[in-house]
Amino acid sequence: LKVNKTIETINLWGNKLGPEAGVAIAEALRVNTTLRDIRLWGNGLGPEGGAAIAEALIVNRTIREIRMSKNGIGREAGMAIAEALKINETITNIELYDDSMGKAAKTAIAAFGRRVVV
């Protein structure tokens, strides 16, 4: 994904990739300029992977849709994603229903009025 010049959508649903893969995906998202839609549902990214993706979303300007529900990212990573959404205006759809985030993170993410599912 770091050197990708053609792929616009990638679906990695349910592969149980884990936190290290979440960090690697985030590193790629920081520099990728073609990916528009990434689907990471059910990969066990955990708080570490969730936080890394949140940081990547601050600088990425091509992702339009991100689906990363059921990854157990926790409250802090959920709040970090809410902060990223304040800066990143290119994301039009985010699906992040994840019970481990807690109400405060869900409310903060939902406040952006885009197509948000929490």
Side-chain angles (χ1 to χ4, degrees), residues 4-76:
N4 167 57
K5 301 288 185 219
T6 57
I7 298 172
E8 293 184 3
T9 299
I10 190 164
N11 185 347
L12 299 170
W13 281 19
N15 285 293
K16 300 177 184 173
L17 299 173
E20 288 180 10
V23 171
I25 290 167
E27 289 173 10
L29 291 179
R30 288 178 177 274
V31 296
N32 181 285
T33 59
T34 58
L35 200 60
R36 304 284 184 261
D37 183 351
I38 188 163
R39 301 169 189 196
L40 297 168
W41 184 88
N43 278 296
L45 302 179
E48 182 183 5
I53 289 175
E55 290 175 18
L57 294 178
I58 291 172
V59 297
N60 182 289
R61 292 295 180 259
T62 58
I63 294 288
R64 303 291 184 261
E65 298 188 39
I66 184 164
R67 297 174 177 104
M68 54 182 281
S69 300
K70 303 292 184 186
N71 275 294
I73 65 169
R75 182 188 180 283
E76 288 184 26

